[in-house]
Amino acid sequence: MIVDGLEANKKEGIEYFEKACEGGFPRGCANAGYLTLESGNSKLYSKGLALLAQACEQNEPESCAHLGMAYLEGRYGLEKDPKKAPPLLRRACDLGSISGCINASVMYKNGDSVPKNEKLAEKYAILAKRLKDPQGSFKKGVQLGRGSEQLCLH
């Protein structure tokens, strides 16, 4: 069943996520935004983008990454915006989003909306690798540092 361009269960899900958002839960804002944008209903894009922006302002990393890519690629009716995409992707990475780090790395490697910068591309690629396997990175640091995990157990 379709209600206002959305399947009824998605609409109800969005309503619950919006309540969570209103209650100060940023992930609720993010999920409401994602579901709204995934509906494909262009009339709802501004609402979905506003929810993602609200979540990003509350330090929800994946919403910053998703919003940054929307500006980078001109999705959901947005014009490509070379001024808005880079800080959103960097912020997403800083907040712990692997996709934010990966996309920031690619952005600097290819010079999308920013001047090409191999050092920054490498920096964000390394951050993405660390986020993907933080325990592995920690263990590698221990191996390279002093050769013992015991250092961190005391």
Side-chain angles (χ1 to χ4, degrees), residues 19 33 46 49 51 54 58 64 70 79 82 87 92 96 105 113 120 122 132-133 140-141 143 149-150 152:
K19 286 180 185 178
S46 62
L49 291 166
L51 286 162
Q54 184 176 351
Q58 295 177 40
C64 297
E79 293 290 323
S105 177
S113 298
L120 286 175
E122 180 66 17
K132 184 176 181 184
D133 184 16
K140 186 66 173 178
Q143 289 172 348
E149 290 187 48
Q150 298 299 316
C152 301

Side-chain angles (χ1 to χ4, degrees), residues 95-110:
L95 291 171
S97 166
I98 294 172
S99 64
C101 295
I102 291 168
N103 287 315
S105 177
V106 170
M107 178 182 67
Y108 281 109
K109 184 172 182 67
N110 296 337

Side-chain angles (χ1 to χ4, degrees), residues 78-140:
L78 292 174
E79 293 290 323
K80 289 184 179 185
D81 193 330
K83 292 182 180 176
K84 289 186 179 179
L88 285 165
L89 292 173
R90 289 190 302 262
R91 180 169 187 196
C93 182
D94 292 342
L95 291 171
S97 166
I98 294 172
S99 64
C101 295
I102 291 168
N103 287 315
S105 177
V106 170
M107 178 182 67
Y108 281 109
K109 184 172 182 67
N110 296 337
D112 294 333
S113 298
V114 293
K116 283 186 178 186
N117 186 323
E118 288 296 323
K119 285 184 180 181
L120 286 175
E122 180 66 17
K123 170 189 170 182
Y124 287 106
I126 289 169
L127 289 171
K129 288 176 190 172
R130 286 183 185 156
L131 287 170
K132 184 176 181 184
D133 184 16
Q135 187 176 16
S137 295
F138 173 79
K139 286 182 178 181
K140 186 66 173 178

Side-chain angles (χ1 to χ4, degrees), residues 12-39:
E12 187 176 8
I14 290 170
E15 289 170 2
Y16 279 102
F17 285 132
E18 286 177 333
K19 286 180 185 178
C21 178
E22 291 165 7
F25 188 60
R27 192 74 190 135
C29 305
N31 286 344
Y34 296 140
L35 284 175
T36 301
L37 292 171
E38 286 178 12
S39 74

